[in-house]
Amino acid sequence: MHTNRKTVGIVGARGHTGMELIRLIAAHPVLQLAFVSSRELDGQRVADHVDGFAGELHYASLDPAAVAAQDADVVILALPNGKAAPFVEAIDAAKPDTLILDLSADYRFDPSWYYGLPELTRDKWRGEKRISNPGCYATAMQLSIAPLKDLLAAPPVCFGVSGYSGAGTTPSDKNDPEKLRDNLMPYALTGHMHEKEASFRLGVPVEFMPHVAPHFRGLTVTTNLYLTRPLKRDDVLQRFHAAYDSEKLAVVTDEAPWVSRIAHRHHAEVGGFVVSADGKRVVIVATLDNLLKGAATQAMQNINRAIGVDEFTAIPVGQE
């Protein structure tokens, strides 16, 4: 079907999201994995670390100049916050028409980069070759709030819980299964990066209180919204169905979704829609797999659109 294969490289491929991306790319009819850069896994076979990947590709430790010299069509930056700029600068200098997708927060506030939350920003893409992938929590919060944004009487308040894969692979209290056992660990209770991101993108202040739980993957956000005028539950549902019924990866559910049902799924679920007696407060619950719709799957949606193939190519959709 597609003769013009495109090469793709991943920088920071050791992390959980990097591994999910490798799996998605392995199943892609157009994208071909050209390099995977990881300091810690330098020289090791990718196939020994990632189920579902076959072939002799090895991890390499590539600095920004070496990444740019690979001459890939697409470069995915899966690095911790604050590390992307040297790679972007090197690619800008060597091969500026490379498609760069950054998974960190580094360019989410940069107006010259396209912010790729397709369900909300699909019509804002103008062919940019610089794409900033949204944060996992920020995705869930925005999907929960956007359909009611014009009726907010106060800042939305979001209570979030994620699995410890969201804390990355660098050891810390937040990804230590012993410390998390039978526990819920609050952190960054004001000023979290995704709070700033959701506020900036929605244009309304959002308040967010994240927690880490003992499960590995999947997040849930419960959002409390005060409204300027009373709504019936049917009115709320109508707005969400209008926003997302045509979307393959944003599913409106009547009941509040469960985080235990979202692991390894590629879509987000938004549901609950419990309205107070006076009709001026609604509580909404959203779940998604933080490594998939919160990261790798969303990246694939954005890359697919940018390389001119169907947005859902190689994304397992509708495996309900």
Side-chain angles (χ1 to χ4, degrees):
M1 182 173 72
H2 300 282
T3 47
N4 53 341
R5 290 184 78 86
K6 297 209 177 286
T7 55
V8 57
I10 304 173
V11 183
R14 176 180 78 117
H16 301 306
T17 300
M19 293 192 175
E20 295 295 345
L21 279 163
I22 291 167
R23 286 190 194 101
L24 286 170
I25 292 164
H28 201 289
V30 176
L31 293 172
Q32 190 162 9
L33 197 57
F35 70 87
V36 284
S37 177
S38 165
R39 278 197 317 253
E40 291 88 349
L41 301 179
D42 186 17
Q44 299 180 40
R45 282 176 78 239
V46 175
D48 292 341
H49 289 271
V50 183
D51 301 334
F53 184 82
E56 286 307 307
L57 191 66
H58 286 64
Y59 292 95
S61 183
L62 304 174
D63 66 9
V67 166
Q70 295 284 319
D71 207 32
D73 297 309
V74 183
V75 174
I76 301 168
L77 301 177
L79 295 162
N81 292 342
K83 307 272 193 208
F87 292 92
V88 174
E89 286 160 17
I91 294 165
D92 279 345
K95 195 190 172 200
D97 63 337
T98 304
L99 176 68
I100 303 177
L101 184 129
D102 183 41
L103 283 150
S104 80
D106 292 6
Y107 295 96
R108 292 176 194 157
F109 302 86
D110 185 331
S112 68
W113 282 56
Y114 169 67
Y115 180 78
L117 205 176
E119 291 75 15
L120 299 179
T121 68
R122 191 180 284 118
D123 60 350
K124 295 188 172 74
W125 185 60
R126 298 289 178 266
E128 292 92 343
K129 293 288 189 95
R130 302 288 177 266
I131 300 175
S132 176
N133 215 55
C136 52
Y137 270 131
T139 297
M141 288 191 277
Q142 289 174 81
L143 291 174
S144 302
I145 296 164
L148 290 170
K149 193 176 82 165
D150 59 315
L151 291 180
L152 297 177
V157 178
C158 306
F159 178 89
V161 180
S162 83
Y164 63 87
S165 59
T169 48
T170 304
S172 76
D173 284 355
K174 295 204 296 284
N175 57 19
D176 180 340
E178 276 307 307
K179 292 196 170 120
L180 284 166
R181 187 193 302 274
D182 302 324
N183 191 13
L184 194 61
M185 202 177 281
Y187 71 102
L189 295 172
T190 67
H192 186 286
M193 182 64 80
H194 294 187
E195 175 181 279
K196 296 176 187 170
E197 178 184 340
S199 302
F200 177 73
R201 288 290 158 187
L202 288 165
V204 297
V206 176
E207 297 167 0
F208 171 50
M209 299 157 294
H211 300 70
V212 183
H215 66 278
F216 180 68
R217 57 197 297 156
L219 63 77
T220 178
V221 176
T222 301
T223 298
N224 186 75
L225 301 167
Y226 289 107
L227 308 178
T228 51
R229 61 181 172 83
L231 286 187
K232 294 189 171 66
R233 185 172 193 267
D234 283 350
D235 303 329
V236 176
L237 271 168
Q238 194 175 353
R239 282 177 172 244
F240 279 81
H241 282 298
Y244 303 133
D245 277 2
S246 61
E247 293 293 344
K248 293 182 179 179
L249 297 183
V251 176
V252 176
T253 65
D254 191 62
E255 299 286 312
W258 290 5
V259 72
S260 61
R261 294 176 181 161
I262 206 69
H264 304 285
R265 299 289 183 85
H266 292 268
H267 65 279
E269 295 187 354
V270 186
F273 309 111
V274 180
V275 178
S276 62
D278 68 358
K280 295 185 80 168
R281 175 185 169 215
V282 58
V283 181
I284 294 169
V285 179
T287 61
L288 54 78
D289 186 318
N290 51 298
L291 303 179
L292 295 176
K293 182 55 180 163
T297 304
Q298 191 138 268
M300 191 57 72
Q301 284 178 271
N302 286 315
I303 291 166
N304 281 334
R305 295 182 64 228
I307 65 172
V309 300
D310 181 84
E311 184 179 314
F312 304 100
T313 303
I315 297 171
V317 173
Q319 296 186 341
E320 303 314 316

